[in-house]
Amino acid sequence: MRKALLATTYFGPIQWYQKLNRYDEVEIEQHESFQKQTYRNRCMIATTQGVQALSFPVEHGADDRIANMRLSDHGNWRHVHWQAIASAYGDSPFFEFYEDDIRPFFFERNWERLMDYNEAITQKMCELLDIHPTMSRTVLFEAQVEGDDFREVIRPKRPLPDESFVTKPYYQVFREKHGFLPNLSILDLLFNMGPEAIFYL
């Protein structure tokens, strides 16, 4: 049985969802310390200006483990993120098809904890992609684990080598302007490719 260990992500990159699709079992780390400028609270989308990072604020307590991180309402980020996503993908082939599935994560319910929010997003994205991973959360933090550890491999800045992930170009709205932009948020693949997205995972 192939097992992978992943960090939690906010509308994670294609590489992250590839692991969900290809491994028999996936554990999501919840006992590591929170790290800034990672996919744990940010995603990357393609806009008319190029790649844009969307990140949201979290509230730190005495215990900075991921499991204890709370979402902050500072900066009206939910509205800002949805407007950015709608502006970036409004003309994509499948935005209107999936819009009603994605909007609730910004307006219809306020999650308190980062892990719960990201997990709910992951479950919805797996449903829309038609992938069915076996997922669980870690019960404690381990520096060395059995299986493949991608906690620090998949990150927006200075990612580590991953021989099992090969970028395959697909249709993107702004490709003529920017060229193909690899490994963006799973939203980019879903809005541009729709039901065919699973074939890229």
Side-chain angles (χ1 to χ4, degrees):
M1 178 177 286
R2 300 179 70 225
K3 183 176 179 179
L5 179 60
L6 300 172
T8 185
T9 63
Y10 168 61
F11 290 109
I14 294 167
Q15 180 185 15
W16 193 85
Y17 278 88
Q18 180 206 59
K19 308 310 176 194
L20 291 190
N21 189 44
R22 296 189 179 184
Y23 279 79
D24 301 309
E25 183 179 340
V26 175
E27 274 195 320
I28 307 299
E29 178 63 69
Q30 68 170 344
H31 293 287
E32 65 179 354
S33 295
F34 178 78
Q35 299 178 43
K36 296 181 179 179
Q37 298 187 355
T38 67
Y39 289 123
R40 291 157 181 82
N41 66 326
R42 74 172 50 207
C43 67
M44 314 297 279
I45 64 171
T47 73
T48 185
Q49 305 299 321
V51 177
Q52 178 181 349
L54 301 178
S55 63
F56 59 81
V58 295
E59 295 179 353
H60 296 261
D63 185 341
D64 71 345
R65 286 180 300 162
I66 285 283
N68 296 319
M69 291 292 109
R70 294 180 178 272
L71 303 182
S72 171
D73 290 326
H74 183 74
N76 196 25
W77 64 268
R78 292 176 179 86
H79 176 77
V80 171
H81 283 204
W82 177 250
Q83 289 302 114
I85 290 167
S87 176
Y89 296 108
D91 291 332
S92 65
F94 294 94
F95 178 77
E96 291 185 359
F97 187 78
Y98 295 114
E99 179 181 8
D100 291 341
D101 293 298
I102 306 302
R103 187 191 298 109
F105 291 103
F106 301 96
F107 296 113
E108 294 183 13
R109 177 181 168 189
N110 284 338
W111 281 264
E112 291 186 6
R113 294 186 182 274
L114 171 70
M115 282 294 297
D116 295 337
Y117 183 55
N118 285 352
E119 186 175 271
I121 289 171
T122 298
Q123 290 173 350
K124 174 55 69 173
M125 298 307 292
C126 288
E127 174 190 326
L128 299 178
L129 293 163
D130 195 24
I131 63 175
H132 309 279
T134 299
M135 291 186 294
S136 61
R137 297 185 186 185
T138 56
V139 296
L140 50 83
F141 180 81
E142 295 181 89
Q144 302 292 325
V145 299
E146 292 185 12
D148 295 331
D149 185 352
F150 295 102
R151 289 174 294 184
E152 296 304 320
V153 172
I154 303 173
R155 55 191 185 191
K157 295 186 177 181
R158 298 181 296 280
L160 298 180
D162 179 6
E163 294 180 0
S164 65
F165 179 68
V166 178
T167 299
K168 297 183 292 186
Y170 56 87
Y171 171 81
Q172 291 177 324
V173 174
F174 304 111
R175 185 170 180 175
E176 288 189 9
K177 184 173 184 180
H178 301 297
F180 178 71
L181 301 173
N183 204 28
L184 298 178
S185 166
I186 193 65
L187 290 173
D188 188 82
L189 182 62
L190 189 70
F191 288 146
N192 284 310
M193 299 305 296
E196 294 186 16
I198 189 173
F199 300 119
Y200 291 79
L201 300 176

